Amino acid sequence: MIAINEKWALVTGASRGIGQEIAIALSKLGCNLVLHSRSVERTSALAEQILANGVRAVSLEADLSDPAQVKELLSEIANAAPHIDILYNNAAIMMPYHDDVWEIPAEEFRKSFETNVISQIKICNALIPSMIERRWGRVINLISGINEQPQLAPYAISKAAFEKFTHDLAPLLENSEVSINTLDPGWLKTDMGSQEAPNSVDSVIPGALVPALLSHSISGREFKAQDYAGMSIEQALQKAEHKN
Ligand SMILES: NC(=O)c1ccc[n+]([C@@H]2O[C@H](COP(=O)([O-])OP(=O)(O)OC[C@H]3O[C@@H](n4cnc5c(N)ncnc54)[C@H](OP(=O)(O)O)[C@@H]3O)[C@@H](O)[C@H]2O)c1
């Protein structure tokens, strides 16, 4: 298992749900955190909790549907942390369910792509080159197993596009000690997943940590957090190593 104490992680969408679970779990391993959401107030209690784990925590805000705010966020990240070693592109939006799939407004596709794809690509573009220079980095892009639900097409196809981006970038990072992988968290009880989901939000740990903690850098793999539910981190890493 890679030691991540002293490293810095950026978790987008850290104010609740899966992002919050990931941020807390990373801090327990000694990792410093940049916590992102749309308002610093939404991560202030989490930052306090994380500071109590003896690491540093900084809150930043940006609406990822707004290119101007994303630009501002990227310059603030550079000032908030000496470097970002681990990136969880976790924030995302899901538009309302449309019974009439033929009438989904084009604007919902545009906003979903701006937020769930284009902004996340900008964050990758801003942070991965310096990871390559420092010869270490872990990028984990949150995708979804959503399938055959055209009523949620703006969300589903934006996630598919982000998955394709991740997959196609992977060979470029070969031998760089920087990895890029996708993470399917499973269907979880969160604001986005709803209370109908079969899995509790904390079941995303330890699986969500696996792509960050694997000792060798492997890219282009899809990690499914639910494959590791109920395991210790050590057991999860052992299982992931065996899958190679
Ligand atoms: N839950 C599931 O069942 C499930 C299944 C498959 C994949 N996923 C993926 O897992 C990730 C996290 O999902 P979740 O269930 O934890 O979602 P969630 O509970 O709805 O939380 C979403 C997070 O993203 C932030 N966010 C929302 N809109 C934003 C915007 N326009 N700009 C910037 N940040 C924004 C929120 O911050 P604010 O406090 O500012 O709103 C919040 O921190 C997403 O990528 C999702 O697609 C979830």
Side-chain angles (χ1 to χ4, degrees):
M1 173 163 112
I2 288 273
I4 58 167
N5 52 320
E6 308 292 315
K7 293 203 184 292
W8 279 89
L10 166 63
V11 181
T12 68
S15 58
R16 52 193 155 92
I18 293 165
Q20 188 172 58
E21 293 293 321
I22 291 170
I24 292 169
L26 289 170
S27 73
K28 286 180 180 167
L29 295 172
C31 189
N32 302 304
L33 266 304
V34 177
L35 305 168
H36 156 268
S37 71
R38 280 175 296 177
S39 160
V40 289
E41 280 147 33
R42 295 184 196 163
T43 54
S44 60
L46 175 64
E48 291 294 318
Q49 191 184 338
I50 282 175
L51 289 169
N53 288 333
V55 299
R56 295 170 69 188
V58 185
S59 293
L60 296 179
E61 63 184 29
D63 187 328
L64 298 186
S65 69
D66 177 354
Q69 291 191 40
V70 174
K71 195 172 174 197
E72 182 70 19
L73 173 70
L74 292 174
S75 61
E76 284 174 0
I77 291 168
N79 295 326
H83 44 78
I84 298 295
D85 307 290
I86 302 170
L87 166 61
Y88 279 88
N89 273 312
N90 167 77
I93 54 166
M94 187 166 74
M95 293 297 175
Y97 188 95
H98 286 275
D99 284 318
D100 186 349
V101 299
W102 315 117
E103 294 294 338
I104 301 177
E107 184 49 33
E108 294 198 5
F109 288 91
R110 277 191 209 102
K111 190 167 180 185
S112 298
F113 265 74
E114 192 68 50
T115 311
N116 298 352
V117 187
I118 298 171
S119 292
Q120 324 269 352
I121 291 172
K122 285 179 186 167
I123 295 171
C124 285
N125 291 349
L127 299 181
I128 294 176
S130 65
M131 290 179 183
I132 295 171
E133 248 173 61
R134 292 194 319 280
R135 291 204 57 78
W136 201 87
R138 298 287 181 267
V139 179
I140 297 106
N141 290 339
L142 273 281
I143 58 155
S144 170
I146 190 167
N147 195 28
E148 296 185 351
Q149 288 200 61
Q151 301 84 353
L152 292 170
Y155 171 76
I157 67 172
S158 72
K159 284 289 171 184
F162 197 36
E163 186 174 347
K164 176 71 174 156
F165 167 77
T166 308
H167 181 80
D168 286 359
L169 203 56
L172 198 71
L173 297 180
E174 218 173 302
N175 303 320
S176 68
E177 298 302 324
V178 177
S179 70
I180 188 164
N181 292 290
T182 59
L183 173 71
D184 176 357
W187 187 16
L188 307 180
K189 287 184 174 58
T190 65
D191 290 351
M192 183 187 284
S194 86
Q195 290 309 303
E196 282 171 40
N199 304 300
S200 64
V201 67
D202 57 5
S203 69
V204 79
I205 305 296
L209 299 181
V210 168
L213 298 179
L214 274 177
S215 51
H216 56 283
S217 125
I218 180 164
S219 284
R221 196 162 138 182
E222 179 182 337
F223 290 88
K224 290 180 186 286
Q226 296 307 311
D227 287 352
Y228 309 98
M231 293 182 182
S232 67
I233 292 179
E234 290 76 15
Q235 288 169 330
L237 288 169
Q238 212 172 16
K239 180 172 178 175
E241 300 271 6
H242 278 303
K243 278 195 173 173
N244 283 330

